[in-house]
Amino acid sequence: MKKQTSAPRLSIAEENYLKAIYKLTEHSERPAATTAIAEQMQTAAASVTDMLKRLADKGLIHYERYKGVSLSDEGLRLATHLVRKHRLWEVFLVDKLGFGWDKVHDIAEQLEHIRSPELVERLDEFLGRPRFDPHGDPIPDAEGQFAERQQILLCKLTEGQQGVIVGVAEHAPSFLQFLDKLSLVLGTCLEVVERFDFDDSMKVRLPDGREVLLSSKVTHNLFVQKQPV
Amino acid sequence: MKKQTSAPRLSIAEENYLKAIYKLTEHSERPAATTAIAEQMQTAAASVTDMLKRLADKGLIHYERYKGVSLSDEGLRLATHLVRKHRLWEVFLVDKLGFGWDKVHDIAEQLEHIRSPELVERLDEFLGRPRFDPHGDPIPDAEGQFAERQQILLCKLTEGQQGVIVGVAEHAPSFLQFLDKLSLVLGTCLEVVERFDFDDSMKVRLPDGREVLLSSKVTHNLFVQKQPV
DNA sequence: AACTATTTTTTGGCTTGCCTAAAAAATAGT
DNA sequence: ACTATTTTTTAGGCAAGCCAAAAAATAGTT
Ligand SMILES: [Mn+2]
Ligand SMILES: [Mn+2]
Ligand SMILES: [Mn+2]
Ligand SMILES: [Mn+2]
């Protein structure tokens, strides 16, 4: 029941489940819970159990009743490729078509399911083999390898330290639009003027001299690269 | 049963049926036959009847049992939009990603189903608002209007007349690859040296001076623009 | 008009993917 | 150790799409 004769292409639904499981297990050792997947996919838990059985039969996940689920090697490979396609398309939409970084996610959710190895390769080349997407997330290469980068959350910087914004941990359009309003776009250099530990907020100075107060929510969702002062 | 409260998005399957019906009725007055649609879609006739009932319920086609089917105004609008997207993506694949014109159809078949009005508009602009796709087929504008062009089949040219290749009636990759081999690409100017009416073949002279014999099958599937001599 | 061949629809059934409601299992609290 | 709560699975059902086989309609022929 586990071995596959050949590799039947996955449906869009199956691909979306794989990506959901990937996201949930990406930064943790523990398997993904049915409820968490249901939440991520906006479906009923019963639908998730249904699908988990199918994915397990296809050898894409490790699944034991009541024990949660994790990706198999093959499942991880497929999920990584989906992430690659998603992020490459996001680069295309922003760099080539001029979309705002807050507008591209839903379209990339569709484009990531386009099936054509040659298309991905040519797109990658057309875009100049980008290593990070418009949100600063790394784009795995054709072998599934992610670029490494020295980055920390803004909230980890101490007073006087400088950092360059290289990514966002939160992708909600409202958050991205808020950052746009403050000109806190990728590549922006900022210096921590003062930290207010009682509520985790901080005042930072921007390149134009402006000083702004950033809430805890903001400082915990901005990735920066520490700059030597 | 005909009036729609709102416009529920179509499934990919429904879109493909609409496009098949569009293709079959595009150049004829008569409605499309169930068998013809089944042939076009590579499905069983029973599946077609199933879908026709659904499309009729949604007001996208005019359907009467045993009488064939044609697109409603709304169906035509949607089908035209699909054609627009398909051809724009083909331009993207050839012009921007460097695909051969014989490789793009299947990928465009997938891309045409991506749903985002803004994407289509931006893509159109990015491509320079092309009016014809890589096969010489006209790309309808946002209002569904096709560009008109003075074009005839190569087989209609008489001896001594010159024409510029502007399109192909047949899209089979094998035909396109054959044309590539002979350098009969869009924009190529050719002169009819001699016609052989007994088998409808003709000898033509190419810009490089080469003279080639073209079979009936070829001359009936190449669109040219007649050139003043 | 009657018969035949072809086309189309109907019927019944399959898979995928989703749902709700209910049962069962795991977990947390006392 | 027992109970209450949460999590997960099971059961039963539904819509979309697909199919093969049977039945009905149409078209062609004599
Ligand atoms: Mn995204
Ligand atoms: Mn992203
Ligand atoms: Mn095409
Ligand atoms: Mn084309």
Side-chain angles (χ1 to χ4, degrees), chain A residues 80-113:
Chain A
T80 305
H81 189 240
L82 280 168
V83 169
R84 170 169 165 76
K85 289 194 283 184
H86 181 104
R87 293 181 181 170
L88 281 174
W89 280 115
E90 284 190 345
V91 173
F92 169 72
L93 294 172
V94 169
D95 286 10
K96 301 295 183 179
L97 296 196
F99 274 96
W101 66 344
D102 57 313
K103 301 287 194 314
V104 297
H105 185 80
D106 291 345
I107 304 178
E109 280 297 317
Q110 299 178 60
L111 286 164
E112 72 190 356
H113 301 291

PDB file of all heavy atoms in Angstrom, chain A residues 80-113:
ATOM      1  N   THR A  80       8.635  21.416  -1.523  1.00  0.00           N
ATOM      2  CA  THR A  80       9.692  22.400  -1.752  1.00  0.00           C
ATOM      3  C   THR A  80       9.608  22.960  -3.170  1.00  0.00           C
ATOM      4  O   THR A  80       9.796  24.153  -3.396  1.00  0.00           O
ATOM      5  CB  THR A  80      11.074  21.762  -1.534  1.00  0.00           C
ATOM      6  OG1 THR A  80      11.120  21.189  -0.223  1.00  0.00           O
ATOM      7  CG2 THR A  80      12.176  22.788  -1.681  1.00  0.00           C
ATOM      8  N   HIS A  81       9.293  22.086  -4.105  1.00  0.00           N
ATOM      9  CA  HIS A  81       9.163  22.547  -5.484  1.00  0.00           C
ATOM     10  C   HIS A  81       7.993  23.502  -5.633  1.00  0.00           C
ATOM     11  O   HIS A  81       8.060  24.479  -6.398  1.00  0.00           O
ATOM     12  CB  HIS A  81       9.000  21.356  -6.430  1.00  0.00           C
ATOM     13  CG  HIS A  81       9.084  21.725  -7.882  1.00  0.00           C
ATOM     14  ND1 HIS A  81       8.065  21.505  -8.762  1.00  0.00           N
ATOM     15  CD2 HIS A  81      10.062  22.327  -8.588  1.00  0.00           C
ATOM     16  CE1 HIS A  81       8.419  21.964  -9.960  1.00  0.00           C
ATOM     17  NE2 HIS A  81       9.624  22.459  -9.881  1.00  0.00           N
ATOM     18  N   LEU A  82       6.918  23.235  -4.888  1.00  0.00           N
ATOM     19  CA  LEU A  82       5.775  24.160  -4.913  1.00  0.00           C
ATOM     20  C   LEU A  82       6.176  25.517  -4.350  1.00  0.00           C
ATOM     21  O   LEU A  82       5.812  26.563  -4.896  1.00  0.00           O
ATOM     22  CB  LEU A  82       4.622  23.586  -4.080  1.00  0.00           C
ATOM     23  CG  LEU A  82       3.781  22.527  -4.769  1.00  0.00           C
ATOM     24  CD1 LEU A  82       2.872  21.842  -3.773  1.00  0.00           C
ATOM     25  CD2 LEU A  82       2.960  23.163  -5.881  1.00  0.00           C
ATOM     26  N   VAL A  83       6.924  25.494  -3.273  1.00  0.00           N
ATOM     27  CA  VAL A  83       7.385  26.752  -2.675  1.00  0.00           C
ATOM     28  C   VAL A  83       8.273  27.501  -3.670  1.00  0.00           C
ATOM     29  O   VAL A  83       8.166  28.717  -3.833  1.00  0.00           O
ATOM     30  CB  VAL A  83       8.163  26.466  -1.372  1.00  0.00           C
ATOM     31  CG1 VAL A  83       8.881  27.707  -0.887  1.00  0.00           C
ATOM     32  CG2 VAL A  83       7.215  25.939  -0.306  1.00  0.00           C
ATOM     33  N   ARG A  84       9.117  26.739  -4.348  1.00  0.00           N
ATOM     34  CA  ARG A  84       9.981  27.350  -5.367  1.00  0.00           C
ATOM     35  C   ARG A  84       9.154  28.059  -6.429  1.00  0.00           C
ATOM     36  O   ARG A  84       9.385  29.216  -6.755  1.00  0.00           O
ATOM     37  CB  ARG A  84      10.856  26.262  -6.004  1.00  0.00           C
ATOM     38  CG  ARG A  84      11.638  26.698  -7.237  1.00  0.00           C
ATOM     39  CD  ARG A  84      12.667  25.645  -7.614  1.00  0.00           C
ATOM     40  NE  ARG A  84      13.235  25.790  -8.951  1.00  0.00           N
ATOM     41  CZ  ARG A  84      14.138  26.692  -9.288  1.00  0.00           C
ATOM     42  NH1 ARG A  84      14.573  27.547  -8.360  1.00  0.00           N
ATOM     43  NH2 ARG A  84      14.603  26.772 -10.514  1.00  0.00           N
ATOM     44  N   LYS A  85       8.150  27.348  -6.940  1.00  0.00           N
ATOM     45  CA  LYS A  85       7.323  27.947  -7.988  1.00  0.00           C
ATOM     46  C   LYS A  85       6.561  29.156  -7.460  1.00  0.00           C
ATOM     47  O   LYS A  85       6.518  30.205  -8.114  1.00  0.00           O
ATOM     48  CB  LYS A  85       6.366  26.893  -8.549  1.00  0.00           C
ATOM     49  CG  LYS A  85       7.066  25.836  -9.380  1.00  0.00           C
ATOM     50  CD  LYS A  85       6.085  25.008 -10.197  1.00  0.00           C
ATOM     51  CE  LYS A  85       5.366  23.984  -9.351  1.00  0.00           C
ATOM     52  NZ  LYS A  85       4.469  23.111 -10.166  1.00  0.00           N
ATOM     53  N   HIS A  86       5.984  29.012  -6.280  1.00  0.00           N
ATOM     54  CA  HIS A  86       5.223  30.115  -5.688  1.00  0.00           C
ATOM     55  C   HIS A  86       6.079  31.378  -5.595  1.00  0.00           C
ATOM     56  O   HIS A  86       5.669  32.458  -6.020  1.00  0.00           O
ATOM     57  CB  HIS A  86       4.725  29.703  -4.303  1.00  0.00           C
ATOM     58  CG  HIS A  86       3.910  30.745  -3.599  1.00  0.00           C
ATOM     59  ND1 HIS A  86       2.534  30.668  -3.497  1.00  0.00           N
ATOM     60  CD2 HIS A  86       4.259  31.895  -2.974  1.00  0.00           C
ATOM     61  CE1 HIS A  86       2.082  31.723  -2.849  1.00  0.00           C
ATOM     62  NE2 HIS A  86       3.116  32.480  -2.508  1.00  0.00           N
ATOM     63  N   ARG A  87       7.269  31.223  -5.075  1.00  0.00           N
ATOM     64  CA  ARG A  87       8.112  32.406  -4.834  1.00  0.00           C
ATOM     65  C   ARG A  87       8.685  32.978  -6.126  1.00  0.00           C
ATOM     66  O   ARG A  87       8.830  34.197  -6.262  1.00  0.00           O
ATOM     67  CB  ARG A  87       9.202  32.047  -3.822  1.00  0.00           C
ATOM     68  CG  ARG A  87       8.572  31.764  -2.462  1.00  0.00           C
ATOM     69  CD  ARG A  87       9.548  31.409  -1.359  1.00  0.00           C
ATOM     70  NE  ARG A  87       8.775  31.154  -0.120  1.00  0.00           N
ATOM     71  CZ  ARG A  87       9.286  30.630   0.982  1.00  0.00           C
ATOM     72  NH1 ARG A  87      10.585  30.311   1.054  1.00  0.00           N
ATOM     73  NH2 ARG A  87       8.513  30.431   2.043  1.00  0.00           N
ATOM     74  N   LEU A  88       8.985  32.102  -7.089  1.00  0.00           N
ATOM     75  CA  LEU A  88       9.460  32.615  -8.376  1.00  0.00           C
ATOM     76  C   LEU A  88       8.360  33.440  -9.041  1.00  0.00           C
ATOM     77  O   LEU A  88       8.613  34.523  -9.573  1.00  0.00           O
ATOM     78  CB  LEU A  88       9.875  31.458  -9.296  1.00  0.00           C
ATOM     79  CG  LEU A  88      11.245  30.839  -9.020  1.00  0.00           C
ATOM     80  CD1 LEU A  88      11.464  29.625  -9.911  1.00  0.00           C
ATOM     81  CD2 LEU A  88      12.358  31.869  -9.236  1.00  0.00           C
ATOM     82  N   TRP A  89       7.136  32.930  -9.000  1.00  0.00           N
ATOM     83  CA  TRP A  89       6.031  33.685  -9.608  1.00  0.00           C
ATOM     84  C   TRP A  89       5.832  35.006  -8.882  1.00  0.00           C
ATOM     85  O   TRP A  89       5.518  36.027  -9.500  1.00  0.00           O
ATOM     86  CB  TRP A  89       4.742  32.852  -9.615  1.00  0.00           C
ATOM     87  CG  TRP A  89       4.678  31.843 -10.719  1.00  0.00           C
ATOM     88  CD1 TRP A  89       4.658  30.486 -10.595  1.00  0.00           C
ATOM     89  CD2 TRP A  89       4.634  32.104 -12.135  1.00  0.00           C
ATOM     90  NE1 TRP A  89       4.589  29.890 -11.841  1.00  0.00           N
ATOM     91  CE2 TRP A  89       4.574  30.852 -12.800  1.00  0.00           C
ATOM     92  CE3 TRP A  89       4.625  33.277 -12.899  1.00  0.00           C
ATOM     93  CZ2 TRP A  89       4.520  30.750 -14.203  1.00  0.00           C
ATOM     94  CZ3 TRP A  89       4.571  33.166 -14.288  1.00  0.00           C
ATOM     95  CH2 TRP A  89       4.509  31.914 -14.929  1.00  0.00           C
ATOM     96  N   GLU A  90       6.003  35.019  -7.570  1.00  0.00           N
ATOM     97  CA  GLU A  90       5.852  36.283  -6.842  1.00  0.00           C
ATOM     98  C   GLU A  90       6.900  37.291  -7.313  1.00  0.00           C
ATOM     99  O   GLU A  90       6.607  38.483  -7.469  1.00  0.00           O
ATOM    100  CB  GLU A  90       5.975  36.041  -5.339  1.00  0.00           C
ATOM    101  CG  GLU A  90       4.722  35.417  -4.715  1.00  0.00           C
ATOM    102  CD  GLU A  90       4.750  35.407  -3.189  1.00  0.00           C
ATOM    103  OE1 GLU A  90       5.830  35.620  -2.603  1.00  0.00           O
ATOM    104  OE2 GLU A  90       3.680  35.170  -2.583  1.00  0.00           O
ATOM    105  N   VAL A  91       8.105  36.820  -7.548  1.00  0.00           N
ATOM    106  CA  VAL A  91       9.146  37.717  -8.066  1.00  0.00           C
ATOM    107  C   VAL A  91       8.719  38.260  -9.424  1.00  0.00           C
ATOM    108  O   VAL A  91       8.827  39.459  -9.698  1.00  0.00           O
ATOM    109  CB  VAL A  91      10.500  36.990  -8.188  1.00  0.00           C
ATOM    110  CG1 VAL A  91      11.521  37.885  -8.889  1.00  0.00           C
ATOM    111  CG2 VAL A  91      11.013  36.571  -6.817  1.00  0.00           C
ATOM    112  N   PHE A  92       8.208  37.377 -10.260  1.00  0.00           N
ATOM    113  CA  PHE A  92       7.748  37.807 -11.583  1.00  0.00           C
ATOM    114  C   PHE A  92       6.687  38.893 -11.464  1.00  0.00           C
ATOM    115  O   PHE A  92       6.761  39.936 -12.124  1.00  0.00           O
ATOM    116  CB  PHE A  92       7.186  36.608 -12.353  1.00  0.00           C
ATOM    117  CG  PHE A  92       6.453  36.980 -13.615  1.00  0.00           C
ATOM    118  CD1 PHE A  92       7.137  37.426 -14.735  1.00  0.00           C
ATOM    119  CD2 PHE A  92       5.071  36.879 -13.673  1.00  0.00           C
ATOM    120  CE1 PHE A  92       6.463  37.778 -15.897  1.00  0.00           C
ATOM    121  CE2 PHE A  92       4.387  37.224 -14.835  1.00  0.00           C
ATOM    122  CZ  PHE A  92       5.080  37.674 -15.943  1.00  0.00           C
ATOM    123  N   LEU A  93       5.711  38.641 -10.606  1.00  0.00           N
ATOM    124  CA  LEU A  93       4.587  39.575 -10.484  1.00  0.00           C
ATOM    125  C   LEU A  93       5.044  40.949  -9.988  1.00  0.00           C
ATOM    126  O   LEU A  93       4.563  41.982 -10.450  1.00  0.00           O
ATOM    127  CB  LEU A  93       3.530  38.989  -9.539  1.00  0.00           C
ATOM    128  CG  LEU A  93       2.840  37.721 -10.043  1.00  0.00           C
ATOM    129  CD1 LEU A  93       1.950  37.115  -8.968  1.00  0.00           C
ATOM    130  CD2 LEU A  93       2.027  38.025 -11.306  1.00  0.00           C
ATOM    131  N   VAL A  94       5.996  40.956  -9.060  1.00  0.00           N
ATOM    132  CA  VAL A  94       6.462  42.234  -8.513  1.00  0.00           C
ATOM    133  C   VAL A  94       7.488  42.893  -9.434  1.00  0.00           C
ATOM    134  O   VAL A  94       7.341  44.059  -9.808  1.00  0.00           O
ATOM    135  CB  VAL A  94       7.062  42.028  -7.104  1.00  0.00           C
ATOM    136  CG1 VAL A  94       7.788  43.279  -6.644  1.00  0.00           C
ATOM    137  CG2 VAL A  94       5.963  41.645  -6.115  1.00  0.00           C
ATOM    138  N   ASP A  95       8.512  42.127  -9.817  1.00  0.00           N
ATOM    139  CA  ASP A  95       9.607  42.722 -10.594  1.00  0.00           C
ATOM    140  C   ASP A  95       9.222  43.038 -12.026  1.00  0.00           C
ATOM    141  O   ASP A  95       9.624  44.062 -12.577  1.00  0.00           O
ATOM    142  CB  ASP A  95      10.815  41.774 -10.622  1.00  0.00           C
ATOM    143  CG  ASP A  95      11.548  41.755  -9.292  1.00  0.00           C
ATOM    144  OD1 ASP A  95      11.019  42.324  -8.312  1.00  0.00           O
ATOM    145  OD2 ASP A  95      12.643  41.157  -9.228  1.00  0.00           O
ATOM    146  N   LYS A  96       8.469  42.145 -12.655  1.00  0.00           N
ATOM    147  CA  LYS A  96       8.176  42.335 -14.077  1.00  0.00           C
ATOM    148  C   LYS A  96       6.840  43.002 -14.333  1.00  0.00           C
ATOM    149  O   LYS A  96       6.704  43.795 -15.248  1.00  0.00           O
ATOM    150  CB  LYS A  96       8.205  40.977 -14.792  1.00  0.00           C
ATOM    151  CG  LYS A  96       9.531  40.243 -14.675  1.00  0.00           C
ATOM    152  CD  LYS A  96      10.651  40.990 -15.378  1.00  0.00           C
ATOM    153  CE  LYS A  96      11.952  40.202 -15.308  1.00  0.00           C
ATOM    154  NZ  LYS A  96      13.063  40.913 -16.014  1.00  0.00           N
ATOM    155  N   LEU A  97       5.839  42.659 -13.537  1.00  0.00           N
ATOM    156  CA  LEU A  97       4.506  43.220 -13.799  1.00  0.00           C
ATOM    157  C   LEU A  97       4.173  44.407 -12.897  1.00  0.00           C
ATOM    158  O   LEU A  97       3.140  45.048 -13.082  1.00  0.00           O
ATOM    159  CB  LEU A  97       3.429  42.124 -13.660  1.00  0.00           C
ATOM    160  CG  LEU A  97       3.515  40.966 -14.658  1.00  0.00           C
ATOM    161  CD1 LEU A  97       2.209  40.185 -14.674  1.00  0.00           C
ATOM    162  CD2 LEU A  97       3.860  41.439 -16.064  1.00  0.00           C
ATOM    163  N   GLY A  98       5.019  44.691 -11.924  1.00  0.00           N
ATOM    164  CA  GLY A  98       4.795  45.879 -11.110  1.00  0.00           C
ATOM    165  C   GLY A  98       3.721  45.765 -10.047  1.00  0.00           C
ATOM    166  O   GLY A  98       3.218  46.779  -9.558  1.00  0.00           O
ATOM    167  N   PHE A  99       3.369  44.554  -9.664  1.00  0.00           N
ATOM    168  CA  PHE A  99       2.413  44.392  -8.568  1.00  0.00           C
ATOM    169  C   PHE A  99       3.046  44.819  -7.246  1.00  0.00           C
ATOM    170  O   PHE A  99       4.263  44.719  -7.063  1.00  0.00           O
ATOM    171  CB  PHE A  99       2.009  42.919  -8.427  1.00  0.00           C
ATOM    172  CG  PHE A  99       0.875  42.489  -9.314  1.00  0.00           C
ATOM    173  CD1 PHE A  99       1.126  41.882 -10.530  1.00  0.00           C
ATOM    174  CD2 PHE A  99      -0.443  42.678  -8.920  1.00  0.00           C
ATOM    175  CE1 PHE A  99       0.082  41.472 -11.350  1.00  0.00           C
ATOM    176  CE2 PHE A  99      -1.494  42.269  -9.726  1.00  0.00           C
ATOM    177  CZ  PHE A  99      -1.227  41.666 -10.942  1.00  0.00           C
ATOM    178  N   GLY A 100       2.214  45.269  -6.312  1.00  0.00           N
ATOM    179  CA  GLY A 100       2.681  45.532  -4.960  1.00  0.00           C
ATOM    180  C   GLY A 100       2.882  44.211  -4.236  1.00  0.00           C
ATOM    181  O   GLY A 100       2.209  43.227  -4.549  1.00  0.00           O
ATOM    182  N   TRP A 101       3.797  44.172  -3.282  1.00  0.00           N
ATOM    183  CA  TRP A 101       4.097  42.914  -2.579  1.00  0.00           C
ATOM    184  C   TRP A 101       2.927  42.403  -1.752  1.00  0.00           C
ATOM    185  O   TRP A 101       2.929  41.250  -1.328  1.00  0.00           O
ATOM    186  CB  TRP A 101       5.356  43.053  -1.731  1.00  0.00           C
ATOM    187  CG  TRP A 101       5.250  44.018  -0.559  1.00  0.00           C
ATOM    188  CD1 TRP A 101       4.304  44.973  -0.357  1.00  0.00           C
ATOM    189  CD2 TRP A 101       6.134  44.078   0.550  1.00  0.00           C
ATOM    190  NE1 TRP A 101       4.536  45.645   0.796  1.00  0.00           N
ATOM    191  CE2 TRP A 101       5.657  45.120   1.390  1.00  0.00           C
ATOM    192  CE3 TRP A 101       7.283  43.388   0.941  1.00  0.00           C
ATOM    193  CZ2 TRP A 101       6.300  45.467   2.585  1.00  0.00           C
ATOM    194  CZ3 TRP A 101       7.909  43.737   2.129  1.00  0.00           C
ATOM    195  CH2 TRP A 101       7.410  44.767   2.934  1.00  0.00           C
ATOM    196  N   ASP A 102       1.934  43.261  -1.537  1.00  0.00           N
ATOM    197  CA  ASP A 102       0.758  42.856  -0.772  1.00  0.00           C
ATOM    198  C   ASP A 102      -0.315  42.243  -1.674  1.00  0.00           C
ATOM    199  O   ASP A 102      -1.337  41.767  -1.200  1.00  0.00           O
ATOM    200  CB  ASP A 102       0.168  44.071  -0.053  1.00  0.00           C
ATOM    201  CG  ASP A 102      -0.188  45.195  -1.016  1.00  0.00           C
ATOM    202  OD1 ASP A 102       0.647  45.512  -1.877  1.00  0.00           O
ATOM    203  OD2 ASP A 102      -1.296  45.746  -0.915  1.00  0.00           O
ATOM    204  N   LYS A 103      -0.084  42.221  -2.985  1.00  0.00           N
ATOM    205  CA  LYS A 103      -1.120  41.775  -3.925  1.00  0.00           C
ATOM    206  C   LYS A 103      -0.813  40.439  -4.585  1.00  0.00           C
ATOM    207  O   LYS A 103      -1.656  39.896  -5.303  1.00  0.00           O
ATOM    208  CB  LYS A 103      -1.284  42.810  -5.042  1.00  0.00           C
ATOM    209  CG  LYS A 103      -1.665  44.201  -4.590  1.00  0.00           C
ATOM    210  CD  LYS A 103      -3.103  44.277  -4.141  1.00  0.00           C
ATOM    211  CE  LYS A 103      -3.613  45.690  -4.006  1.00  0.00           C
ATOM    212  NZ  LYS A 103      -2.711  46.609  -3.297  1.00  0.00           N
ATOM    213  N   VAL A 104       0.390  39.930  -4.385  1.00  0.00           N
ATOM    214  CA  VAL A 104       0.827  38.818  -5.235  1.00  0.00           C
ATOM    215  C   VAL A 104       0.527  37.424  -4.698  1.00  0.00           C
ATOM    216  O   VAL A 104       0.524  36.449  -5.452  1.00  0.00           O
ATOM    217  CB  VAL A 104       2.342  38.914  -5.518  1.00  0.00           C
ATOM    218  CG1 VAL A 104       2.622  40.190  -6.306  1.00  0.00           C
ATOM    219  CG2 VAL A 104       3.150  38.893  -4.227  1.00  0.00           C
ATOM    220  N   HIS A 105       0.258  37.316  -3.406  1.00  0.00           N
ATOM    221  CA  HIS A 105       0.158  35.979  -2.833  1.00  0.00           C
ATOM    222  C   HIS A 105      -0.945  35.132  -3.462  1.00  0.00           C
ATOM    223  O   HIS A 105      -0.718  33.981  -3.858  1.00  0.00           O
ATOM    224  CB  HIS A 105      -0.035  36.054  -1.318  1.00  0.00           C
ATOM    225  CG  HIS A 105      -0.014  34.700  -0.676  1.00  0.00           C
ATOM    226  ND1 HIS A 105       1.158  34.038  -0.397  1.00  0.00           N
ATOM    227  CD2 HIS A 105      -1.008  33.863  -0.321  1.00  0.00           C
ATOM    228  CE1 HIS A 105       0.875  32.865   0.120  1.00  0.00           C
ATOM    229  NE2 HIS A 105      -0.437  32.726   0.173  1.00  0.00           N
ATOM    230  N   ASP A 106      -2.138  35.699  -3.568  1.00  0.00           N
ATOM    231  CA  ASP A 106      -3.264  34.907  -4.076  1.00  0.00           C
ATOM    232  C   ASP A 106      -3.061  34.472  -5.527  1.00  0.00           C
ATOM    233  O   ASP A 106      -3.448  33.369  -5.920  1.00  0.00           O
ATOM    234  CB  ASP A 106      -4.566  35.702  -3.954  1.00  0.00           C
ATOM    235  CG  ASP A 106      -4.966  35.882  -2.489  1.00  0.00           C
ATOM    236  OD1 ASP A 106      -4.405  35.172  -1.637  1.00  0.00           O
ATOM    237  OD2 ASP A 106      -5.819  36.735  -2.210  1.00  0.00           O
ATOM    238  N   ILE A 107      -2.454  35.334  -6.310  1.00  0.00           N
ATOM    239  CA  ILE A 107      -2.208  34.964  -7.706  1.00  0.00           C
ATOM    240  C   ILE A 107      -1.149  33.869  -7.768  1.00  0.00           C
ATOM    241  O   ILE A 107      -1.273  32.912  -8.531  1.00  0.00           O
ATOM    242  CB  ILE A 107      -1.774  36.194  -8.532  1.00  0.00           C
ATOM    243  CG1 ILE A 107      -2.827  37.299  -8.413  1.00  0.00           C
ATOM    244  CG2 ILE A 107      -1.580  35.820  -9.988  1.00  0.00           C
ATOM    245  CD1 ILE A 107      -2.482  38.577  -9.145  1.00  0.00           C
ATOM    246  N   ALA A 108      -0.115  33.993  -6.929  1.00  0.00           N
ATOM    247  CA  ALA A 108       0.938  32.966  -6.906  1.00  0.00           C
ATOM    248  C   ALA A 108       0.375  31.633  -6.413  1.00  0.00           C
ATOM    249  O   ALA A 108       0.855  30.571  -6.810  1.00  0.00           O
ATOM    250  CB  ALA A 108       2.109  33.414  -6.034  1.00  0.00           C
ATOM    251  N   GLU A 109      -0.651  31.701  -5.569  1.00  0.00           N
ATOM    252  CA  GLU A 109      -1.294  30.466  -5.101  1.00  0.00           C
ATOM    253  C   GLU A 109      -1.856  29.674  -6.278  1.00  0.00           C
ATOM    254  O   GLU A 109      -1.933  28.455  -6.235  1.00  0.00           O
ATOM    255  CB  GLU A 109      -2.434  30.788  -4.131  1.00  0.00           C
ATOM    256  CG  GLU A 109      -1.996  31.107  -2.720  1.00  0.00           C
ATOM    257  CD  GLU A 109      -1.309  29.951  -2.019  1.00  0.00           C
ATOM    258  OE1 GLU A 109      -1.781  28.812  -2.127  1.00  0.00           O
ATOM    259  OE2 GLU A 109      -0.273  30.192  -1.385  1.00  0.00           O
ATOM    260  N   GLN A 110      -2.285  30.380  -7.304  1.00  0.00           N
ATOM    261  CA  GLN A 110      -2.779  29.704  -8.501  1.00  0.00           C
ATOM    262  C   GLN A 110      -1.620  29.294  -9.406  1.00  0.00           C
ATOM    263  O   GLN A 110      -1.567  28.164  -9.892  1.00  0.00           O
ATOM    264  CB  GLN A 110      -3.709  30.631  -9.286  1.00  0.00           C
ATOM    265  CG  GLN A 110      -4.949  31.091  -8.534  1.00  0.00           C
ATOM    266  CD  GLN A 110      -5.798  32.049  -9.364  1.00  0.00           C
ATOM    267  OE1 GLN A 110      -6.271  31.702 -10.440  1.00  0.00           O
ATOM    268  NE2 GLN A 110      -5.977  33.268  -8.874  1.00  0.00           N
ATOM    269  N   LEU A 111      -0.696  30.219  -9.620  1.00  0.00           N
ATOM    270  CA  LEU A 111       0.388  29.961 -10.577  1.00  0.00           C
ATOM    271  C   LEU A 111       1.292  28.813 -10.134  1.00  0.00           C
ATOM    272  O   LEU A 111       1.884  28.124 -10.970  1.00  0.00           O
ATOM    273  CB  LEU A 111       1.214  31.242 -10.775  1.00  0.00           C
ATOM    274  CG  LEU A 111       0.537  32.324 -11.619  1.00  0.00           C
ATOM    275  CD1 LEU A 111       1.233  33.665 -11.445  1.00  0.00           C
ATOM    276  CD2 LEU A 111       0.516  31.921 -13.088  1.00  0.00           C
ATOM    277  N   GLU A 112       1.397  28.603  -8.821  1.00  0.00           N
ATOM    278  CA  GLU A 112       2.301  27.565  -8.326  1.00  0.00           C
ATOM    279  C   GLU A 112       1.886  26.168  -8.777  1.00  0.00           C
ATOM    280  O   GLU A 112       2.675  25.238  -8.690  1.00  0.00           O
ATOM    281  CB  GLU A 112       2.379  27.608  -6.797  1.00  0.00           C
ATOM    282  CG  GLU A 112       1.115  27.110  -6.108  1.00  0.00           C
ATOM    283  CD  GLU A 112       1.115  27.396  -4.608  1.00  0.00           C
ATOM    284  OE1 GLU A 112       2.114  27.913  -4.100  1.00  0.00           O
ATOM    285  OE2 GLU A 112       0.082  27.107  -3.960  1.00  0.00           O
ATOM    286  N   HIS A 113       0.646  26.033  -9.244  1.00  0.00           N
ATOM    287  CA  HIS A 113       0.168  24.704  -9.651  1.00  0.00           C
ATOM    288  C   HIS A 113       0.378  24.426 -11.142  1.00  0.00           C
ATOM    289  O   HIS A 113       0.043  23.333 -11.611  1.00  0.00           O
ATOM    290  CB  HIS A 113      -1.302  24.537  -9.284  1.00  0.00           C
ATOM    291  CG  HIS A 113      -1.567  24.684  -7.818  1.00  0.00           C
ATOM    292  ND1 HIS A 113      -1.135  23.764  -6.897  1.00  0.00           N
ATOM    293  CD2 HIS A 113      -2.163  25.666  -7.115  1.00  0.00           C
ATOM    294  CE1 HIS A 113      -1.482  24.163  -5.678  1.00  0.00           C
ATOM    295  NE2 HIS A 113      -2.113  25.322  -5.791  1.00  0.00           N
TER     296      HIS A 113
END
